């Protein structure tokens, strides 16, 4: 089972990993954007994790993700704020008002987050955004579930799809977001939102990859 304690731990790990990557993400955003992406993501996940820690023990999985969404949105002024807030609200809906969910349903959280980001940002694959990571990762999650793979097997495929998706943004020209104004000059550089999305999915894969199926 994936419990509220598991989700609280996951957000602590997300906050820690993204904080450690803050300068690297700002550097990537400095090349094709405005150099604030590391700050946005680090502040967002720090706020989300703190807000989850502050919840009472009766809080449900949905409460945790909705609380994280609100905290992320309030902490982040950049465009990643509403994108991740929507992703986390979709995850809340998928997780439901319960204290735990079966591990077999956990990949649905990745699918839900990807749908939230797509519906909020209206970017398609190939536009050099975080969608180029979240969409293939969600496809890997869905396919793994359809094929009845175990959670560790599924997140291994999610991790691979995310890494490939992030790398692929190097050869894309940005047509959405701040870097779109660079046009062809965005070529050759990894998209910062794609890089951070792969980091987020790596943390999830590290955590869930150690889990069995019970
Ligand atoms: P800002 O561009 O406002 O400074 P951030 O630096 O936090 O915001 O995030 C930039 C990232 O947001 C980009 O690298 C890209 O991945 C992502 N992004 C921008 N616009 C969109 C969109 N419409 N849909 C999905 N992702 C987007
Ligand atoms: Mg930025």
């Amino acid at each position: 089972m994936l419990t509220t304690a598991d989700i609280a731990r996951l957000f602590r790990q997300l906050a820690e990993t993204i904080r450690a990557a803050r300068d690297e993400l700002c550097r990537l955003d400095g090349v094709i954007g405005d150099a604030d992406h590391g700050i946005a993501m680090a502040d967002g996940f720090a706020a989300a994790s703190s807000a989850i820690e502050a919840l009472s023990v009766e809080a449900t999985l949905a409460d945790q993700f909705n609380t994280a969404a609100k905290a992320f949105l309030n902490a982040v002024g950049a465009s990643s704020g509403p994108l991740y807030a929507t992703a986390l609200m979709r995850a809340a809906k998928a997780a439901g008002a319960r204290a735990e969910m079966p591990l077999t349903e956990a990949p649905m959280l990745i699918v839900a987050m990807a749908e939230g980001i797509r519906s909020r940002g209206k970017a398609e694959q190939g536009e050099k955004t975080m969608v180029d990571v979240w969409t293939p990762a969600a496809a890997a999650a869905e396919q793994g579930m359809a094929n009845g793979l175990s959670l560790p097997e599924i997140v291994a495929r999610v991790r691979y799809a995310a890494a490939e998706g992030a790398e692929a943004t190097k050869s894309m020209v940005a047509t959405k977001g701040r870097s779109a104004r660079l046009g062809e000059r965005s070529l050759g550089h990894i998209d910062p939102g794609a890089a951070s999305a792969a980091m987020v999915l790596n943390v999830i894969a590290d955590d869930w990859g150690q889990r069995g199926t019970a």
Side-chain angles (χ1 to χ4, degrees):
M1 282 286 179
L2 194 68
T3 67
T4 51
D6 291 327
I7 294 302
R9 187 189 63 244
L10 180 63
F11 273 87
R12 282 197 296 275
Q13 287 169 351
L14 283 166
E16 196 181 309
T17 299
I18 301 297
R19 185 188 50 75
R22 189 181 63 179
D23 293 353
E24 161 75 1
L25 292 172
C26 281
R27 193 185 58 72
L28 292 176
D29 196 26
V31 180
I32 62 167
D34 58 354
D36 67 348
H37 187 62
I39 295 165
M41 293 295 286
D43 286 356
F45 277 110
S49 183
S50 302
I52 286 176
E53 298 294 337
L55 288 172
S56 83
V57 288
E58 289 99 61
T60 65
L61 294 166
D63 293 332
Q64 287 182 306
F65 282 109
N66 278 323
T67 298
K70 201 188 284 181
F72 202 108
L73 188 65
N74 288 340
V76 179
S79 33
S80 43
L83 290 165
Y84 273 95
T86 308
L88 292 166
M89 284 191 289
R90 294 295 183 92
K93 212 167 168 197
R98 48 186 171 168
E100 54 183 25
M101 67 192 284
L103 287 180
T104 50
E105 291 176 29
M108 282 305 301
L109 298 174
I110 294 171
V111 175
M113 287 185 70
E115 280 168 1
I117 287 166
R118 274 197 303 272
S119 83
R120 179 75 208 198
K122 308 269 184 280
E124 304 288 337
Q125 260 185 291
E127 292 193 286
K128 201 182 181 88
T129 71
M130 61 177 77
V131 167
D132 293 304
V133 168
W134 279 102
T135 295
E142 275 190 309
Q143 201 170 20
M145 281 189 292
N147 293 335
L149 301 184
S150 70
L151 186 58
E153 288 170 324
I154 293 174
V155 293
R157 284 161 174 74
V158 165
R159 189 200 298 276
Y160 182 77
E164 278 213 312
E167 188 62 27
T169 63
K170 275 188 190 166
S171 50
M172 293 175 190
V173 173
T175 49
K176 279 275 183 340
R178 198 177 292 279
S179 51
R181 70 195 153 77
L182 288 182
E184 294 281 331
R185 280 180 293 144
S186 65
L187 258 179
H189 308 286
I190 198 165
D191 174 66
S196 65
M199 290 172 188
V200 167
L201 286 157
N202 258 321
V203 172
I204 294 173
D206 283 344
D207 196 53
W208 295 356
Q210 297 160 13
R211 303 293 300 262
T213 45

